[in-house]
Amino acid sequence: MPRKSARNKQNRPVIITGNWKMYKTIEEAAQFVEALTPLIKQSPLSAYLSVPFTAIHSTAELVKKLDAPIVIGAQNMHDASEGAFTGEIAAKMLKDAGAEFVILGHSERRHIFHESNSFINRKVKKAIAEDLQPILCIGETLEQRESGKVEETLKSQLLESLKEISAKDLEKVVIAYEPVWAIGTGKVANADDAEKAHLFCRKVIAEKWSQEDAAVIPILYGGSVKPDNAGALLAEPDIDGLLVGGASLSPENFSQIINSFKV
Ligand code: 13P
């Protein structure tokens, strides 16, 4: 099936991505894809799924076989083409396995594995060069929010992670705003606060690149997205999609989130 890609009122593509993190075996991933496929057939969207490395190839093959409206991606990669980097994975390998996109700079990578903006910047460039769509994650911690540093944090993460990216290459990038305090905590940013942060990111893009670039870049929200808050988040003018952790592990919950987008 050709990839379904609906646009919102702002004419930006709507992207709803599951991030499975370190969950699901190959068999569990296959069961999920088989269960999800009929549940989203009425949706104008394709579901994006960032699966563990081990399940990329099998799920990508299954999606082809089922002709399912699902796009398979990865959760991380290294910026080198290849080399002596024990335990790492290259963009070319992800493509080879069937991934079409990759999440980069997730807060768990930044905080648990100490990834810097400059490392993430090299990864974004590599993903673009290898034709893997990068979903660049940014977001403030609770401490940064409480000390009034939300905008400062988002601005530096955006500018440093997207350093020296041309306007042409920026067209291939998707941004995900994921406030760290909302991830896995059940505390969702209210739709107003999320909208404000998205608007601010667009302003940073407009200042560094152009108004036109800022108007077309998709910005997703992530952090405790559930079936009962997805609709309100997607109704905000600057929220172009969702990055869903825990609720993407169940086909029922994830399909309800996808089906909450209506053209
Ligand atoms: P939760 O939806 O579990 O809060 O996770 C969000 C996230 O980190 C998605 O990348």
Side-chain angles (χ1 to χ4, degrees):
M1 147 172 326
R3 185 183 303 190
K4 295 192 280 183
S5 83
R7 288 177 176 265
N8 56 18
K9 291 196 185 80
Q10 291 67 36
N11 201 28
R12 291 188 285 266
V14 176
I15 299 172
I16 300 185
T17 306
N19 173 11
W20 284 354
K21 308 191 178 183
M22 202 170 71
Y23 290 96
K24 293 195 191 293
T25 61
I26 292 172
E27 180 58 31
E28 288 164 348
Q31 285 166 1
F32 180 100
V33 166
E34 281 178 3
L36 182 73
T37 301
L39 299 177
I40 56 170
K41 67 171 190 286
Q42 307 296 347
S43 171
L45 302 176
S46 289
Y48 280 50
L49 276 182
S50 317
V51 306
F53 295 140
T54 46
I56 291 174
H57 188 247
S58 56
T59 46
E61 290 296 306
L62 182 59
V63 161
K64 261 193 256 166
K65 190 174 122 201
L66 298 175
D67 205 14
I70 297 175
V71 183
I72 299 295
Q75 302 169 18
N76 182 33
M77 59 170 235
H78 196 270
D79 69 300
S81 297
E82 58 185 4
F85 299 103
T86 301
E88 287 293 336
I89 194 149
K92 192 171 62 180
M93 297 166 183
L94 297 179
K95 284 277 288 189
D96 186 39
E100 294 184 49
F101 71 97
V102 60
I103 294 177
L104 296 174
H106 190 278
S107 69
E108 286 147 20
R109 301 297 319 169
R110 291 176 185 267
H111 297 285
I112 306 172
F113 301 101
H114 310 294
E115 289 193 6
S116 64
N117 283 317
S118 66
F119 188 25
I120 295 162
N121 176 240
R122 297 199 301 276
K123 295 180 188 218
V124 173
K125 288 176 180 158
K126 186 64 180 176
I128 293 170
E130 297 284 349
D131 196 27
L132 263 179
Q133 183 170 40
I135 299 185
L136 168 69
C137 300
I138 54 167
E140 81 285 357
T141 60
L142 186 58
E143 200 190 344
Q144 287 164 328
R145 172 158 285 259
E146 286 177 344
S147 55
K149 292 192 174 143
V150 175
E151 295 194 346
E152 186 186 318
T153 305
L154 297 182
K155 186 171 181 177
S156 67
Q157 287 178 340
L158 271 176
L159 294 182
E160 290 173 38
S161 304
L162 294 173
K163 197 170 167 193
E164 292 164 357
I165 301 238
S166 66
K168 189 164 174 291
D169 281 347
L170 192 68
E171 284 172 18
K172 297 167 193 154
V173 176
V174 173
I175 291 168
Y177 168 62
E178 296 207 300
V180 180
W181 49 269
I183 296 178
T185 57
K187 285 188 209 155
V188 66
N190 69 45
D192 264 8
D193 282 345
E195 166 65 17
K196 258 189 227 145
H198 284 224
L199 208 53
F200 176 75
C201 293
R202 250 181 247 293
K203 189 174 139 222
V204 173
I205 303 279
E207 282 166 9
K208 180 72 189 173
W209 286 270
S210 73
Q211 201 66 52
E212 294 74 54
D213 296 318
V216 298
I217 192 162
I219 307 182
L220 321 183
Y221 169 81
S224 295
V225 174
K226 305 284 178 242
D228 63 1
N229 58 28
L233 289 160
L234 287 171
E236 293 293 338
D238 287 282
I239 300 182
D240 307 312
L242 304 165
L243 186 48
V244 187
S248 73
L249 294 169
S250 133
E252 290 73 28
N253 286 339
F254 195 47
S255 65
Q256 282 176 38
I257 291 172
I258 301 222
N259 291 329
S260 66
F261 171 74
K262 309 258 178 336
V263 264

